[in-house]
């Protein structure tokens, strides 16, 4: 689960079915649901939208990551529809209590396997470098 960055009471939740749902807890109501992933959503994050080089916290995107490392970017201005699905190589499922990805603009960190994570630009998703742990 993840919370909207502006303080609005919106919560996004990912499910084993690959479904992502956004709830408004003030109403309470289901705002939308989207089935993009074929595998369980194991990580998601609300990310403020970048506008003219600055953060626009009133609008957000949601990044979802499934069990194989596939990412989908959902845009609030389009009802959280999927607007981008970058090509990505398959990743190992991270251990329990380890997030599959973390995004703090202008960077996104994604788990690849027990010895490697990759750092990407955000929102461009160009790889900056792989971060390896040596035994």
């Amino acid at each position: 689960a993840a919370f909207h960055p502006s303080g609005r009471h919106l919560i996004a939740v990912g499910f084993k079915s690959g479904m992502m749902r956004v709830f408004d807890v003030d109403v309470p109501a289901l705002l939308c649901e989207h089935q993009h992933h074929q595998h369980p959503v194991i990580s998601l994050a609300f990310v403020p939208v970048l506008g003219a080089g600055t953060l626009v916290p009133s609008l957000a995107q949601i990044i979802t990551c499934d069990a194989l490392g596939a990412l989908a970017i959902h845009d609030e201005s389009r009802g959280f529809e999927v607007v981008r699905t970058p090509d990505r190589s398959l990743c190992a499922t991270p251990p329990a209590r380890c997030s599959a990805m973390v995004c703090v603009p202008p960077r996104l960190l994604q788990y690849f396997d027990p010895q490697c994570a990759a750092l990407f630009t955000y929102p461009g998703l160009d790889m900056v470098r792989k971060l390896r742990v040596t035994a």
Side-chain angles (χ1 to χ4, degrees):
F3 299 92
H4 197 283
S6 73
R8 292 176 51 206
H9 297 133
L10 300 183
I11 297 174
V13 181
F15 293 89
K16 288 182 180 180
S17 65
M19 179 82 63
M20 186 271 305
R21 293 184 175 128
V22 179
F23 299 91
D24 183 333
V25 296
D26 284 336
V27 174
L30 172 65
L31 289 182
C32 62
E33 61 183 6
H34 298 288
Q35 175 78 43
H36 173 74
H37 295 286
Q38 300 293 318
H39 302 280
V41 174
I42 60 171
S43 190
L44 55 81
F46 266 107
V47 181
V49 170
L50 291 170
T54 61
L55 293 178
V56 181
S58 61
L59 287 177
Q61 292 182 325
I62 299 172
I63 305 171
T64 54
C65 181
D66 73 14
L68 296 182
L71 299 175
I73 299 173
H74 307 255
D75 196 294
E76 182 174 11
S77 67
R78 296 186 182 175
F80 293 111
E81 288 283 340
V82 173
V83 294
R84 190 164 174 210
T85 55
D87 291 334
R88 189 74 69 234
S89 59
L90 297 180
C91 302
T93 301
R97 299 184 186 196
C98 177
S99 183
M101 60 92 199
V102 177
C103 186
V104 178
R107 297 285 188 252
L108 180 139
L109 182 70
Q110 186 175 14
Y111 178 92
F112 269 45
D113 61 47
Q115 285 80 39
C116 183
L119 187 63
F120 297 92
T121 62
Y122 184 84
L125 296 176
D126 299 310
M127 185 180 292
V128 175
R129 68 177 168 201
K130 286 188 176 181
L131 306 169
R132 297 201 179 273
V133 176
T134 55

